[in-house]
């Protein structure tokens, strides 16, 4: 072969290899655009967004009283949804999480500089009691009788579950074991059983503890649990990466396991009153009470931008499911998996958390919407069960 | 242009083409070394990225090495060596296309 020809072949092959990634990228983009997503027209118009507060004022309350009083973690712990209504409830306080007892008593977990505490306030902001706690606490779970369950970690690293009586005295403590920087908060079942997660390797497990502090059962799970919720029938659901939901009955026997195959970090789990499990892992999955897939909902940007559902789905009383995606899409989805409406947040930022009040105000980081119904009153409809953050199935 | 080359010259060119292949990686590595501090995360990511990207795009890397070498040797009349270099370059370019197609179609790589 003539050298000139060899040169031309060489240059052509070099040009081809440089062009190959671009060609493959274009091919992949075209292929992804052809994959079906939920791009159908929404059933309803998107409700009006009412812009939320900015600056030091938080747009989403950290917990809500039974009478609708919303508590915000601003510079101070404050009440009042609109900025003009904000009133300091407790000044100069470092709050990590809070929960409200049925009688309106506010339990607050917080602290800084190695001084951590659990406090109880009356609805009139009077300090009822305060106890010091160990570091690294989870959000609380509050039983119907006012007992508060808190996971904390002493300096020895052996994580503890502590039960505090309604007067602040310590009832019992159970060593959970493990070294969890972000412990999964406890969850309370309909019969008062407390469910916790122990991340001790090589056998991380879910543990059921009686309200007297005795272990009832434990079940090994394959990986780190990120969510632990309880259905109305007492079944326990845990969210395990990547893309797993495992269901146990109240006796600790595994009922089913669902694997989304989405190869994606898990968002969260919510359970409707009829037993439908909503689970975000890339897509939003609806599973029936036997773990079979009812439907799957995909963000319109799933394949074009790699969008995925992020955070916990929220279930309304009318069955509408609200879920946000990484690329700032907020979807309202009917119980049958149809797109009710979608809101695209044009401003960049972290994915939106979503919180639904009992009277139908859907709060997100960009503002709030007035929607068709409030938070569901059955099942486990939101991350912390209800707006009071009780994390207790007893409350129903 | 001279159209004949001795087999020895072609083999020498092919050997030179293969030997030159790491030069582009060494250039990128030297750049990372020069622009980052020892023991830093930036250097770790830079060196790892250079090595990984070289595996994916070694066919392109030859532009940095074989083509200049061929263009330098051509006026010197070392046509056999140039021929060997170009054979190696063509082989690597076609091989790289195969790697990219394999990554996309078979392994399902998401780098695209």
């Amino acid at each position: 072969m003539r050298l000139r020809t060899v040169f031309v072949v060489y240059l052509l092959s070099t040009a081809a290899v440089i062009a190959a990634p671009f060609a493959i990228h274009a091919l992949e983009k075209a292929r992804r655009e052809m994959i079906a997503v939920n791009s159908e027209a929404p059933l309803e118009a998107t409700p009006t967004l009412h812009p939320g507060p900015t600056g030091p004022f938080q747009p989403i309350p950290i917990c809500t009283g039974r009478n609708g009083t919303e508590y915000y973690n601003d510079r101070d712990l404050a009440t009042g949804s609109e900025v003009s209504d904000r009133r300091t409830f407790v000044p100069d306080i470092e709050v990590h999480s809070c929960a409200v007892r049925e009688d309106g008593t506010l339990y607050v977990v917080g602290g800084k500089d190695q001084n951590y505490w659990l406090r109880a306030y009356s609805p009139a902001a009077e300090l009822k009691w305060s106890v010091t706690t160990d570091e690294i606490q989870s959000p609380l779970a509050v039983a119907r009788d006012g007992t508060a369950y808190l996971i904390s970690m002493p300096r020895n690293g052996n994580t503890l579950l502590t039960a505090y009586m309604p007067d602040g005295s310590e009832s019992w403590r159970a060593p959970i074991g493990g070294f969890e920087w972000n412990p999964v908060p406890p969850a309370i079942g309909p019969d008062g059983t407390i469910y916790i997660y122990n991340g001790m390797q090589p056998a991380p497990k879910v543990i059921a503890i009686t309200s007297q502090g005795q272990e009832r059962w434990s079940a090994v799970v394959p990986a780190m649990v990120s969510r632990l919720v309880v259905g109305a029938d007492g079944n326990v659901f845990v969210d395990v990466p990547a893309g797993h939901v495992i269901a146990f009955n109240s006796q600790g026997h595994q009922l089913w396991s669902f694997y989304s195959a989405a190869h994606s970090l898990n968002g969260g789990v919510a359970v409707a009153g009829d037993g439908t499990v909503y689970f975000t892992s890339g897509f939003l999955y609806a599973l029936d009470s036997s773990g079979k897939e009812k439907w799957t909902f995909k963000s319109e940007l799933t394949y074009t931008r790699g969008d995925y559902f992020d955070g916990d789905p929220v279930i309304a009383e009318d069955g509408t499911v609200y879920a946000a995606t990484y690329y700032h899409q907020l979807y309202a989805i009917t119980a049958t998996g149809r797109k009710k409406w979608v809101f695209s947040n044009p401003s960049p930022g972290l994915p939106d958390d979503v919180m639904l009040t009992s009277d139908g105000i859907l709060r997100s980081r960009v503002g709030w919407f007035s929607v068709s119904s409030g938070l569901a009153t059955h099942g486990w409809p939101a991350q912390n069960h209800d707006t009071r953050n009780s994390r207790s199935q007893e409350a129903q | 242009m001279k159209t004949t080359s001795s087999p020895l010259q072609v083999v020498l060119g092919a050997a030179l083409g293969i030997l030159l292949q790491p030069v582009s990686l060494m250039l990128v590595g030297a750049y990372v070394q020069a622009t980052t501090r020892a023991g830093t995360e930036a250097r770790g990511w830079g060196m790892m990225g250079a090595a990984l990207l070289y595996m994916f795009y070694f066919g392109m890397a030859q532009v940095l090495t074989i083509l200049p070498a061929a263009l330098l040797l051509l006026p010197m009349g070392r046509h056999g060596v140039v021929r060997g270099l170009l054979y190696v370059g063509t082989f690597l370019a076609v091989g790289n296309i195969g790697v990219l197609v394999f990554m996309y179609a078979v392994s399902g790589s998401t780098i695209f």
Side-chain angles (χ1 to χ4, degrees):
Chain A
M1 194 185 296
R2 292 169 62 89
L3 186 56
R4 187 192 306 269
T5 310
V6 176
F7 229 121
V8 169
V9 171
Y10 166 78
L11 289 175
L12 285 175
S13 61
T14 300
V17 76
I18 290 172
F22 297 99
I24 292 173
H25 177 77
L27 182 70
E28 175 64 8
K29 188 168 179 284
R31 187 187 73 83
R32 290 182 180 187
E33 285 172 351
M34 289 169 64
I35 301 174
V37 292
N38 287 89
S39 56
E40 70 273 16
L43 299 173
E44 297 177 9
T46 305
T48 304
L49 171 71
H50 302 269
T54 55
F57 300 104
Q58 293 297 314
I60 301 176
I62 54 170
C63 57
T64 306
R66 207 164 185 72
N67 61 357
T69 303
E70 293 182 327
Y71 297 94
Y72 288 86
N73 193 9
D74 297 336
R75 286 191 185 122
D76 302 323
L77 181 61
T79 58
S81 53
E82 298 300 320
V83 171
S84 57
D85 300 332
R86 293 281 166 99
R87 299 286 181 271
T88 298
F89 187 77
V90 181
D92 192 25
I93 187 173
E94 186 88 14
V95 176
H96 297 175
S97 64
C98 68
V100 179
R101 192 182 158 185
E102 287 198 346
D103 67 357
T105 301
L106 176 69
Y107 292 129
V108 183
V109 177
K112 60 180 178 181
D113 301 333
Q114 307 298 320
N115 295 310
Y116 299 93
W117 39 258
L118 166 64
R119 293 175 182 166
Y121 292 91
S122 74
E126 295 161 342
L127 179 64
K128 289 183 164 182
W129 49 261
S130 176
V131 293
T132 57
T133 70
D134 295 310
E135 195 180 353
I136 313 295
Q137 314 99 328
S138 70
L140 287 161
V142 180
R144 185 195 288 268
D145 65 2
T147 304
Y149 299 99
L150 180 67
I151 292 174
S152 60
M153 191 176 68
R155 289 179 183 275
N156 65 15
N158 193 10
T159 313
L160 291 170
L161 172 67
T162 307
Y164 295 94
M165 301 291 281
D167 62 359
S169 60
E170 190 177 304
S171 175
W172 50 261
R173 54 172 56 189
I176 300 172
F179 186 83
E180 296 290 334
W181 287 110
N182 296 295
V184 179
I188 303 172
D191 60 354
T193 300
I194 305 109
Y195 298 96
I196 56 171
Y197 162 67
N198 169 354
M200 283 274 278
Q201 296 294 341
K205 53 193 173 186
V206 173
I207 304 172
I209 298 176
T210 68
S211 54
Q212 284 73 47
Q214 308 301 315
E215 180 175 323
R216 281 184 60 199
W217 55 260
S218 66
V220 173
V221 289
M224 187 182 78
V225 167
S226 58
R227 297 285 192 280
L228 193 163
V229 305
V230 185
D233 52 5
N235 291 340
V236 180
F237 304 92
V238 294
D239 192 346
V240 178
H244 267 106
V245 176
I246 303 171
F248 299 95
N249 68 13
S250 57
Q251 305 306 310
H253 302 297
Q254 183 172 321
L255 297 172
W256 49 262
S257 170
F258 175 79
Y259 180 47
S260 73
H263 302 295
S264 171
L265 288 176
N266 297 0
V269 178
V271 185
D274 65 357
T276 301
V277 177
Y278 296 101
F279 166 53
T280 55
S281 174
F283 315 144
L284 172 66
Y285 296 89
L287 312 176
D288 67 19
S289 53
S290 61
K292 299 283 188 298
E293 193 175 316
K294 289 169 79 174
W295 48 261
T296 302
F297 192 94
K298 301 175 183 178
S299 160
E300 294 169 41
L301 306 176
T302 297
Y303 298 111
T304 52
R305 295 189 63 181
D307 197 14
Y308 56 90
F309 280 94
D310 198 33
D312 294 88
V314 175
I315 307 169
E317 188 69 32
D318 65 359
T320 305
V321 181
Y322 299 96
T325 74
Y326 181 78
Y327 280 106
H328 326 302
Q329 308 262 304
L330 173 60
Y331 287 95
I333 303 157
T334 68
T336 55
R338 299 191 64 191
K339 188 196 297 178
K340 195 169 178 183
W341 54 261
V342 58
F343 171 77
S344 296
N345 176 16
S347 61
L350 291 170
D352 285 350
D353 292 327
V354 178
M355 180 260 180
L356 181 60
T357 67
S358 55
D359 54 357
I361 301 297
L362 183 69
R363 297 194 184 281
S364 74
R365 296 218 169 270
V366 293
W368 57 273
F369 306 87
S370 180
V371 296
S372 51
S373 74
L375 187 66
T377 52
H378 295 91
W380 193 287
Q383 182 179 5
N384 291 316
H385 183 267
D386 47 52
T387 55
R388 295 187 297 112
N389 292 354
S390 74
R391 296 193 57 82
S392 172
Q393 197 59 260
E394 289 181 308
Q396 296 173 21
Chain B
M1 191 177 285
K2 192 177 177 181
T3 57
T4 58
S5 307
S6 75
L8 178 62
Q9 278 194 318
V10 173
V11 169
L12 281 175
L16 184 60
I18 293 167
L19 286 173
L20 283 172
Q21 281 302 303
V23 169
S24 58
L25 176 62
M26 290 160 67
L27 285 172
V28 176
Y31 172 79
V32 173
Q33 293 274 345
T35 55
T36 57
R37 285 186 292 120
T40 60
E41 190 180 357
R43 175 169 291 185
W45 281 111
M47 296 303 287
M48 192 177 74
L52 287 175
L53 287 176
Y54 182 77
M55 291 178 68
F56 295 148
Y57 298 110
F58 60 82
M60 287 183 203
Q62 69 189 269
V63 178
L64 287 171
T65 52
I66 286 179
L67 188 58
L71 293 175
L72 280 171
L73 291 167
L74 192 61
M76 296 167 65
R78 306 290 298 275
H79 291 180
V81 176
V82 171
R83 186 183 292 272
L85 281 169
L86 297 180
Y87 282 157
V88 170
T90 303
F91 173 77
L92 289 175
V94 173
N96 199 165
I97 293 172
V99 168
L100 293 172
V101 170
F102 173 83
M103 283 165 54
Y104 172 68
V106 180
S107 75
S109 170
T110 55
I111 67 163
F112 302 107

